[in-house]
Amino acid sequence: MAKKIIKEPSRTLMEYRLLPGYTTHETSIDNISLETCLAWSPEGEWKMKLNIPIVSAAMQSVSGVEMGIELARLGGLAFIFCSQTVENEAAMIRDIKSYKAGFVDPFYVNPDMLIGEVFEISKSKGFNTFPVVDVNHRLLGILTKNDYSGTHHASLKVSERMIPRKDLVVGVNILDIKEANAILRESHQSVLPIVNEENQLKFLVFRKDIRNHMNYPQELLDEQKRLLTGAAINTYDYEERVPALVEAGVDIVAVDSSDGFSFYQKNTLAWISKNYPSLPVIGGNIITKEGFRFLVDCGARAVKVGMGGGSICITQEQKGTGRGLATAIIEVVAERDRYYKETGRYIPVVADGGIVDSKDITIAIALGADYVMMGRYFARMEESPTEKIQIGSRIMKPYWGEGSARAREWKSSRYYQMKFAEGVEGFVQYAGKLRDNLPETLAKIKASMSSCGVKNIPEFHQKAELEVVSALSIREGKVHDIYMPEELAEYKSEKY
Ligand code: IMP
């Protein structure tokens, strides 16, 4: 006889609906904050936070450098996949950490070059502003398109046409785009050179770029104003991978494992706690309260919940292990809350796998999750690392599981040792840029929270009221019994 047989079926997020609460001006959409705790930190509960409750999955077809940059600029975080060499993963982290929105790595010229040569460079590169530096990289002046004519000044030296350093407004050691903007606003220049105290050129900030960067008010930055980023690690090469990722500047790592309640995960977390005690680690995945306790006792600072629900996942079919995500969240969150009462440590719960749209995100958070991890949602975006392809009349992007045959070609995939696949390969419909999709998803989450009469995520956790719905009531909640031709349908499901 089995040790435990639960008669109550486990439930998915789709089976729950929220009951509205009392909405006031205080809880109107514009007043709602989606800030959430990213990981427990000894320096304070909310020391590590996300500006939106969404991270991207550590998958080859989801989280590369472009995703890492754009998602952090929009307030979330990407977890760079670990099914690649240590060097490649560390290089991706380095690229994200060295990205400075609005701070352009300058292409410079020297004062003795001829304007004719600069003009040729300008034609081939497609830009026409050139800072001028000496051999020690010190700023001597700047040449903008108003300062030279490719035909009339071709035989003059750069030094004869540049605006000299003494006549320029420059920023010294400025790393904040808002500060750079304030200086540019008061100057008459279209570009601001940023130098260090030795007058060595570091960046250029262009007036025309600033408006674009002001469109990212939720940017998730570290104390040095660099974008925050996460990386996945596995349970076998962590002694080599973690040091390289830390060296590259990673802010948080997540153990990428389909079953986190294991001896392997314990060893990994113990090694990190001993060697990198200040590096936050997310453990997972687990779906029971015992799994949660195990991971936090091993040192996890956040815990990923979910098994068998991912859109590319065939774990349940292959192994028979798994649980409806809603049931898993409910059980783990109750244990998290008990743990908090006992220890004063708030461990964020991350809902992972099978989260399709804004409604699922909202229900997961209402049930007590602090943020969600999604793969399919992000695989559809321009910023995922795959190429678009046309299939029939549709533009699609490929999407494959880390446990699929395709991902397992990489020897250290989390599923590598398996003799069979736990994931599949398929396509998702191309959705466009993240910047054009995410705001709508966030607006819907805020609208639900407003209806429930809450103004932030901690309040949502305390006040949300949910109900299980029948299959018929789910059907009733969709468009039904009308004819809706495609060309008239303003309504667009996020699913496809
Ligand atoms: P999605 O958002 O439904 O597409 O699920 C993404 C999640 O599925 C990831 O964050 C992983 O936890 C999980 N996952 C990724 N690859 C595989 C796989 O090959 N098999 C099973 N689960 C996977």
Side-chain angles (χ1 to χ4, degrees):
M1 165 92 184
K3 180 173 161 199
K4 190 181 206 172
I5 297 178
I6 304 171
K7 302 263 171 57
E8 188 67 16
S10 83
R11 299 209 178 266
T12 66
L13 298 174
M14 286 179 250
E15 293 173 88
Y16 285 86
R17 290 290 177 270
L18 282 156
L19 302 180
Y22 182 54
T23 306
T24 62
H25 174 66
E26 242 203 330
T27 63
S28 63
I29 292 179
D30 292 341
N31 290 333
I32 288 176
S33 158
L34 292 178
E35 267 184 22
T36 194
C37 186
L38 172 61
W40 178 78
S41 163
E43 294 162 59
E45 206 166 274
W46 281 67
K47 178 82 180 141
M48 292 215 72
K49 67 176 180 70
L50 291 166
N51 290 334
I52 62 167
I54 298 178
V55 299
S56 68
M59 298 171 73
Q60 293 173 350
S61 49
V62 177
S63 298
V65 173
E66 265 188 77
M67 186 63 74
I69 291 174
E70 193 61 1
L71 185 51
R73 295 185 74 196
L74 291 163
L77 186 96
F79 282 89
I80 300 301
F81 57 96
C82 61
S83 48
Q84 59 177 326
T85 62
V86 170
E87 296 70 32
N88 282 355
E89 191 180 8
M92 286 189 172
I93 297 296
R94 221 170 279 118
D95 284 350
I96 297 170
K97 292 306 286 183
S98 59
Y99 175 84
K100 289 234 51 67
F103 288 75
V104 176
D105 210 359
F107 184 93
Y108 48 86
V109 294
N110 68 61
D112 297 325
M113 275 170 86
L114 296 178
I115 294 288
E117 292 174 69
V118 175
F119 185 58
E120 288 309 313
I121 299 175
S122 159
K123 279 200 292 191
S124 71
K125 298 257 177 215
F127 51 75
N128 40 34
T129 299
F130 297 93
V132 186
V133 298
D134 67 13
V135 285
N136 293 318
H137 220 76
R138 280 189 292 254
L139 183 67
L140 298 174
I142 202 156
L143 199 62
T144 73
K145 70 169 190 277
N146 304 328
D147 304 319
Y148 64 93
S149 145
T151 44
H152 291 91
H153 303 133
S155 57
L156 295 181
K157 281 185 175 179
V158 163
S159 55
E160 293 175 84
R161 294 300 309 171
M162 69 183 188
I163 309 172
R165 167 72 175 81
K166 69 175 172 44
D167 296 336
L168 282 175
V169 174
V170 301
V172 181
N173 279 338
I174 293 203
L175 287 174
D176 182 358
I177 195 74
K178 293 197 185 92
E179 272 183 61
N181 186 28
I183 301 177
L184 256 185
R185 206 173 34 225
E186 298 308 316
S187 79
H188 293 273
Q189 294 167 196
S190 56
V191 58
L192 181 73
I194 307 287
V195 296
N196 64 13
E197 25 324 67
E198 269 95 51
N199 190 37
Q200 286 167 316
L201 181 68
K202 293 288 161 195
F203 303 105
L204 292 182
V205 176
F206 288 87
R207 199 181 271 266
K208 65 177 164 42
D209 284 348
I210 285 194
R211 197 171 312 123
N212 172 19
H213 297 301
M214 293 302 170
N215 284 337
Y216 289 86
Q218 300 279 59
E219 240 177 6
L220 193 64
L221 301 172
D222 65 17
E223 279 161 3
Q224 294 163 54
K225 310 276 183 202
R226 300 176 307 175
L227 295 174
L228 234 64
T229 186
I233 57 169
N234 56 49
T235 52
Y236 18 94
D237 66 11
Y238 52 89
E239 295 187 21
E240 190 194 340
R241 197 171 286 270
V242 171
L245 295 172
V246 170
E247 165 76 28
V250 77
D251 297 283
I252 182 165
V253 294
V255 187
D256 188 27
S257 164
S258 55
D259 177 6
F261 196 1
S262 77
F263 163 80
Y264 310 104
Q265 187 127 166
K266 184 179 177 176
N267 287 347
T268 310
L269 292 170
W271 187 87
I272 295 175
S273 301
K274 180 159 175 270
N275 295 285
Y276 291 90
S278 56
L279 177 68
V281 196
I282 305 181
N285 284 18
I286 50 89
I287 48 175
T288 61
K289 58 179 188 297
E290 292 80 10
F292 174 85
R293 275 284 165 164
F294 172 78
L295 288 179
V296 290
D297 288 345
C298 292
R301 303 233 205 127
V303 170
K304 271 189 291 155
V305 176
M307 188 184 290
S311 57
I312 32 54
C313 177
I314 50 172
T315 300
Q316 296 206 27
E317 281 174 83
Q318 300 280 59
K319 298 201 300 188
T321 51
R323 195 171 210 185
L325 187 56
T327 300
I329 296 173
I330 293 167
E331 179 171 315
V332 172
V333 161
E335 189 64 9
R336 183 271 307 280
D337 292 348
R338 268 194 292 278
Y339 182 81
Y340 181 54
K341 273 201 190 120
E342 285 167 26
T343 64
R345 287 180 175 210
Y346 184 83
I347 304 289
V349 165
V350 191
D352 175 26
I355 294 168
V356 169
D357 54 22
S358 50
K359 165 172 56 57
D360 288 347
I361 303 173
T362 311
I363 301 283
I365 294 173
L367 290 173
D370 296 83
Y371 53 101
V372 300
M373 175 175 267
M374 295 190 290
R376 189 209 64 98
Y377 178 93
F378 289 107
R380 302 170 306 145
M381 304 295 162
E382 178 69 33
E383 292 81 0
S384 69
T386 56
E387 292 296 323
K388 298 189 277 273
I389 23 178
Q390 180 133 13
I391 301 183
S393 60
R394 294 179 165 199
I395 309 286
M396 310 290 268
K397 284 196 119 188
Y399 179 42
W400 61 94
E402 290 293 287
S404 65
R406 180 165 179 176
R408 289 195 309 157
E409 281 168 21
W410 162 250
K411 64 178 169 38
S412 289
S413 147
R414 82 193 204 182
Y415 302 92
Y416 175 64
Q417 283 145 338
M418 295 290 191
K419 301 254 178 309
F420 53 89
E422 270 193 62
V424 296
E425 185 177 351
F427 296 94
V428 284
Q429 185 153 331
Y430 174 64
K433 294 196 168 144
L434 193 52
R435 170 128 199 80
D436 297 328
N437 286 275
L438 198 59
E440 185 176 324
T441 301
L442 299 175
K444 290 180 192 170
I445 300 170
K446 286 187 175 181
S448 314
M449 289 171 66
S450 175
S451 285
C452 293
V454 299
K455 57 180 185 305
N456 55 44
I457 288 177
E459 218 176 273
F460 203 21
H461 286 166
Q462 282 163 20
K463 294 194 182 163
E465 293 183 28
L466 297 113
E467 188 171 51
V468 174
V469 286
S470 68
L472 281 180
S473 97
I474 292 174
R475 181 176 177 273
E476 188 185 59
K478 294 186 174 172
V479 175
H480 59 90
D481 300 321
I482 64 161
Y483 170 62
M484 197 167 67
E486 184 85 348
E487 62 278 14
L488 290 184
E490 273 181 36
Y491 162 81
K492 182 170 110 292
S493 166
E494 284 173 59
K495 281 202 179 90
Y496 305 104

